[in-house]
Amino acid sequence: MKPSLTLRGSTRLDAHALYFVSYDGLVNNNSFQKNGLLTYRGHQYAAWYTADRSAVVARRALGEDTWETVRLGHRLRYDDSHNVISMGVSAVDGRLHLVLDSHSDGFFYVKSAAGLLDTDEPAAGAWTPAALGPVHTTLDGLSLTPRFTYPQFLTTPEGLLQLSYRDGVSGDGRNALAEYDGSRWRAPGEWSSSTGVYRSPIGDHRTSTARNMYLHGIDYDARGRLHAFFTWREQDPAVLRAAGGLTNHDTGYVYSDDRGRTWRNDAGEALGEVAVMSPGVVVDPLGPDHCLMNQESQAVDSAGRPHAIISHVPVRLGPRTGDYVIERVRHARAHHLRKDAAGRWLKTEIPVPLASSQRTKLVLDRHDNAYAVLPYGRIAAASRASGHTDWTLLFDGEGLNAFGEVVVDETRIAADGVLSFLYQERSTGTTPSALHVVDFALPL
């Protein structure tokens, strides 16, 4: 079965969503949100900040155009695009969870009433601020860290809810997990390290002694294995040839078979805390002078094999020494990195210029065809039959006027075979703009 797209329709969530550009992105459309848009038991849920900075959450029945919207009791504090809203579902008790408005500081948390998401046809009038609950500054009393960033929810095969986050700051942070079992939150703790010496490829005297791991994703497969691709960001810019670049380097991969307690490299060796000197974790080596982007995306196919999208200036063009935004807009390409049945790591450049400094999302359909949702809502695809080498642009984003990154519903394809993503229209300054969800049917 070849990859294909059939436009199913588009709905407008908000005519006047909050708009400001920060760190080259929008707070409503950072693709690393997991999840800003999600599907559960026949309904789709979306979260964003509206023009007066209020956090809102909406739902609709799949296939319907009408969204029910509820304002939460919180307003965005700063013009910082990191301060996204992420949603998760605890299947053990049918609650919706949201974490929002944090960048290396305290976070805000909402937990809905039990059972709110459990019925296929929620009762009329049930979608209210009272049902969603008040805003807290802890996870039911668990405070985690005062330097919290990048919330990402994931559901274990048993239906428990986990929260992935960074403890620390850019260049000096550690990844950690918290876990909710339907009665309380616990903190299994940190699993990556920020210490160790990294030596730049351009000379051993150029070193960095602190860093953070940026996840491209963290996902369970159908067999219960937890997969994570990542890149390292060094704290010391001395590892660069010149100022203006990104200190991101290398793409790594690890997995866990015990819900994130023990992490292993590609050869299956237990690692302890994953560190820059950990053996066997780098699956695509790349130095820090190629404008490698952090926090792109990943997916796992039906055979449990990991796939990722990473983007950088192709190695054939040599190292870059200018401003990374300019270099990425001019030269960067997205690349599809995956593991084949023989255990080899393969990498294919997607032949579509990014023309953007921003990120690309990866999804797989039911036939393991791959789709890359590029900046501006463009969609390219490659077939499983070709070994994922026949990348072709299927949708050029015409008519969307999308700002850049989009937020993909990673959970909907399994529900009804639809690729659904949220995007915001381009605006200027701080003028609010429309926020939409567009749907494409994939091959069944």
Side-chain angles (χ1 to χ4, degrees):
M1 180 72 70
K2 294 182 179 179
S4 65
L5 296 171
T6 303
L7 180 62
R8 286 271 298 269
S10 178
T11 60
R12 190 175 69 185
L13 284 169
D14 191 338
H16 304 287
L18 183 64
Y19 188 98
F20 59 84
V21 179
S22 158
Y23 297 93
D24 306 315
L26 305 180
V27 71
N28 289 329
N29 281 90
N30 265 310
S31 67
F32 55 73
Q33 290 172 253
K34 190 180 181 77
N35 297 282
L37 187 68
L38 67 83
T39 294
Y40 183 73
R41 295 195 65 163
H43 281 75
Q44 189 173 48
Y45 300 84
W48 70 95
Y49 297 99
T50 194
D52 69 357
R53 310 180 75 85
S54 293
V56 297
V57 60
R59 71 172 183 186
R60 66 168 172 175
L62 293 182
E64 299 295 326
D65 293 335
T66 302
W67 294 81
E68 298 177 271
T69 301
V70 172
R71 288 178 180 244
L72 303 175
H74 183 82
R75 291 190 177 186
L76 181 70
R77 297 170 297 160
Y78 315 119
D79 283 355
D80 187 332
S81 64
H82 291 80
N83 292 40
V84 298
I85 306 173
S86 294
M87 298 184 290
V89 177
S90 53
V92 291
D93 59 0
R95 296 182 192 265
L96 180 67
H97 302 251
L98 301 96
V99 171
L100 61 153
D101 199 1
S102 180
H103 185 195
S104 298
D105 58 3
F107 61 87
F108 298 86
Y109 170 63
V110 173
K111 181 177 72 174
S112 81
L116 182 65
L117 275 59
D118 270 348
T119 56
D120 292 334
E121 294 296 335
W127 192 246
T128 65
L132 286 165
V135 179
H136 299 281
T137 55
T138 66
L139 300 178
D140 296 340
L142 182 65
S143 58
L144 297 179
T145 171
R147 299 190 302 172
F148 179 100
T149 317
Y150 301 126
Q152 297 188 56
F153 285 108
L154 58 158
T155 303
T156 73
E158 302 83 13
L160 306 183
L161 183 66
Q162 292 183 313
L163 175 63
S164 169
Y165 63 96
R166 186 185 72 190
D167 178 2
V169 298
S170 176
D172 187 10
R174 295 150 301 283
N175 286 337
L177 288 171
E179 191 171 272
Y180 175 75
D181 63 5
S183 60
R184 67 176 179 134
W185 282 93
R186 297 177 176 83
E190 298 174 357
W191 60 272
S192 74
S193 171
S194 59
T195 61
V197 176
Y198 171 74
R199 301 185 183 280
S200 170
I202 60 177
D204 285 351
H205 63 289
R206 294 175 176 263
T207 61
S208 176
T209 57
R211 67 204 46 82
N212 70 282
M213 173 194 284
Y214 274 122
L215 292 174
H216 292 306
I218 183 164
D219 298 277
Y220 284 99
D221 66 22
R223 298 163 176 80
R225 175 166 287 181
L226 184 58
H227 302 259
F229 283 93
F230 62 89
T231 185
W232 296 111
R233 171 169 293 181
E234 296 301 322
Q235 184 183 74
D236 195 333
V239 300
L240 294 167
R241 294 173 184 269
L246 287 171
T247 59
N248 299 339
H249 64 89
D250 299 318
T251 298
Y253 167 77
V254 291
Y255 70 88
S256 173
D257 288 329
D258 60 0
R259 310 300 181 255
R261 271 65 171 179
T262 305
W263 291 90
R264 298 179 182 274
N265 64 15
D266 188 39
E269 300 165 333
L271 298 171
E273 286 190 336
V274 184
V276 74
M277 70 286 290
S278 293
V281 300
V282 174
V283 296
D284 187 63
L286 189 71
D289 288 301
H290 296 275
C291 305
L292 176 66
M293 181 49 63
N294 48 282
Q295 296 169 289
E296 252 175 304
S297 59
Q298 67 173 44
V300 184
D301 67 24
S302 61
R305 291 189 287 266
H307 299 240
I309 292 289
I310 61 174
S311 67
H312 56 80
V313 175
V315 174
R316 67 175 184 276
L317 298 181
R320 317 311 294 180
T321 57
D323 177 83
Y324 82 89
V325 172
I326 294 173
E327 293 294 331
R328 283 181 58 82
V329 170
R330 289 177 176 172
H331 304 296
R333 295 289 180 93
H335 300 74
H336 179 208
L337 179 66
R338 72 276 187 198
K339 190 175 185 179
D340 70 5
R344 300 170 298 184
W345 288 96
L346 306 176
K347 184 178 179 182
T348 300
E349 180 181 319
I350 298 175
V352 179
L354 282 186
S356 170
S357 65
Q358 297 186 287
R359 301 172 179 87
T360 296
K361 293 294 291 184
L362 172 68
V363 297
L364 304 177
D365 69 18
R366 295 175 180 181
H367 308 281
D368 288 336
N369 299 312
Y371 299 78
V373 188
L374 300 150
Y376 315 120
R378 298 166 296 164
I379 305 173
S383 67
R384 176 187 176 183
S386 73
H388 299 105
T389 59
D390 58 350
W391 284 96
T392 304
L393 188 67
L394 298 185
F395 177 65
D396 65 2
E398 183 180 2
L400 299 185
N401 191 30
F403 168 80
E405 291 181 14
V406 304
V407 174
V408 170
D409 187 338
E410 300 177 6
T411 57
R412 186 168 179 184
I413 292 173
D416 66 354
V418 171
L419 169 57
S420 189
F421 66 81
L422 180 152
Y423 71 93
Q424 189 161 352
E425 291 187 24
R426 182 180 297 275
S427 185
T428 57
T430 58
T431 302
S433 66
L435 191 70
H436 305 267
V437 174
V438 63
D439 304 322
F440 296 88
L442 302 182
L444 295 177

